[in-house]
Amino acid sequence: DSKFDANNDPKENTPFPSQIFNDATNTNTIGNFYGKVTSDDPGTSNDSGQLPNQTTRRDSHGAAVTLDGKYVHVVDRIQNVVEVFDTITEERVNTYDLVSKDGQSGREGHAGPCLKRSVLDDNDLQLNDPAPDLLELTPDGKYLMIAFRGPKPVSVSHAAQGSCPGVGIVELSEDGISGKLVDVLRATNTVDDVPVGTISGGRDYSGVERSDVHGAIVVEKN
C-alpha cells in the first residue's frame, strides 16, 4: 500500500503476508495502487464512488473464522458481499451477498431484510445497502453477527455509508462455506444532530438518522 511505502524505514511483517485474492476491477483509490484508474473505463476510475451496483470499488473489512477453523468469511463494505476462503488451501471458495433473500441472487433476486430495515427519510439514499463492518461468530457456530453502517458515517465516510444501520444476522450453511442475511437488528439515533457534511462518492444524506454501528461482539449468557 502506497500509504505505508512512504515510511523511510519500513519493517516487513514476519511472516510476510501472502496475497490470496485480488479483484482486478478494484479502483485505484486512497493508497491502493493495484486497481484500474483510467477515466475512459466507466465505473473503474478513481471517482467511481461507493454507490452500490454502480462502483467496482472494493473495501475488504471485517473477518471471522468458522467454528471448525476451516473457513474465513471476509466482508466487503462497498460491494455488500462476503468472500469465503479455505484456511488450508488459502483459496477463495465462495462468495455470497448481503442484499438478496437467498444470498446468491444479488440485486436481481428478491431483496433481503436490509431493504425493509432501510432508512426512508431521504428519497435519494440508496436502499438495501448494508455496508458491513466488523463481525463475530456466535458460540454455536451457526450465525455471523455483523455491524451495519449508517447513512451518516462517523468515520471513513468515503467507504462506509449504508442504509440499514444495526446488526445483521447471517445464517451459515453448507458446513460454513456459505450464508445468507436473515434479519437486521435495526439501531436508531435521532438525538445526535451532528451535520452530515460531504459523503465522498456517496449521498449527502439529508435525513435525521445518525446511528452508525461499527462492531458487533457476541456475549454468551450462562
Side-chain angles (χ1 to χ4, degrees), residues 111-193:
C114 178
L115 177 62
K116 66 179 181 180
R117 301 281 194 252
S118 286
V119 175
L120 299 176
D121 61 356
D122 184 337
N123 291 332
D124 293 322
L125 182 70
Q126 173 73 59
L127 303 183
N128 197 13
D129 183 10
D133 209 279
L134 301 179
L135 64 155
E136 188 160 283
L137 185 74
T138 57
D140 59 9
K142 295 181 179 180
Y143 301 92
L144 292 173
M145 309 299 286
I146 309 176
F148 284 173
R149 302 294 297 272
K152 167 51 179 98
V154 174
S155 62
V156 290
S157 60
H158 66 275
Q161 186 174 43
S163 71
C164 55
V167 177
I169 304 174
V170 166
E171 182 179 20
L172 298 181
S173 59
E174 300 178 36
D175 294 325
I177 202 172
S178 190
K180 63 181 180 181
L181 182 66
V182 294
D183 206 353
V184 178
L185 304 178
R186 182 73 157 76
T188 188
N189 173 11
T190 57
V191 177
D192 193 346
D193 59 357

Side-chain angles (χ1 to χ4, degrees), residues 18-24 58 76 83 85 90 92 95:
S18 58
Q19 185 183 77
I20 59 177
F21 174 66
N22 178 27
D23 187 341
R58 285 287 199 155
D76 189 300
E83 305 287 4
F85 299 89
E90 296 187 348
R92 182 176 62 149
T95 301

Side-chain angles (χ1 to χ4, degrees), residues 7 10 14 34 67 80 82 92 105 160 171 174 210:
N7 190 334
T14 304
Y34 295 108
L67 201 60
N80 290 314
V82 182
R92 182 176 62 149
S105 306
E171 182 179 20
E174 300 178 36
R210 295 295 183 270

Side-chain angles (χ1 to χ4, degrees), residues 79-97:
Q79 295 301 322
N80 290 314
V81 296
V82 182
E83 305 287 4
V84 185
F85 299 89
D86 188 303
T87 59
I88 302 299
T89 65
E90 296 187 348
E91 295 179 344
R92 182 176 62 149
V93 292
N94 192 28
T95 301
Y96 60 92
D97 68 75

